[in-house]
Amino acid sequence: MNEIRAKAVDEKFCESCGEIIKIRAEICPKCGVRQRAPSSRNKIVAALLALFLGGLGIHKFYLGKGGMGVLYLVFFWTIIPAIVGFIEGILLLLMSDEQFAAKYP
């Protein structure tokens, strides 16, 4: 008989087979696929940095995109990076946690 159980707080679904595994598991015991490491970046922090300091590109540095951060700093006087940063902040807030983790590992 196929047993269905609820996922606990310290568990997640395997990215490949969907089996419930421990959240810190590096390899799924059922299918053997290596799991991605959880992101050390926080979506809410990135969004707030983009909303309030986006004109200086601080959110880009936080997300590991230093080249873009420097570009924002060079052109901050045009106010265009502030507008783009505000829009990026809203998009970050609307992004799912899975999409954020995939885009910013």
Side-chain angles (χ1 to χ4, degrees), residues 5-80:
R5 67 180 182 96
K7 182 178 72 149
V9 175
D10 66 337
E11 295 177 326
K12 66 178 182 177
F13 293 105
C14 172
E15 299 169 2
S16 179
C17 68
E19 180 73 17
I20 296 176
I21 60 175
K22 292 293 182 186
I23 202 159
R24 295 206 178 265
E26 292 182 21
I27 298 174
C28 175
K30 182 177 179 186
C31 66
V33 173
R34 183 170 297 279
Q35 303 296 303
R36 283 189 300 226
S39 177
S40 62
R41 296 175 179 98
N42 187 322
K43 179 178 83 165
I44 302 299
V45 171
L48 290 175
L49 288 172
L51 289 172
F52 295 111
L53 298 171
L56 298 174
I58 304 301
H59 65 295
K60 292 295 187 182
F61 290 109
Y62 178 74
L63 293 172
K65 309 287 184 186
M68 287 297 294
V70 170
L71 193 64
Y72 276 56
L73 278 173
V74 169
F75 290 104
F76 83 95
W77 58 273
T78 65
I79 314 235
I80 293 171

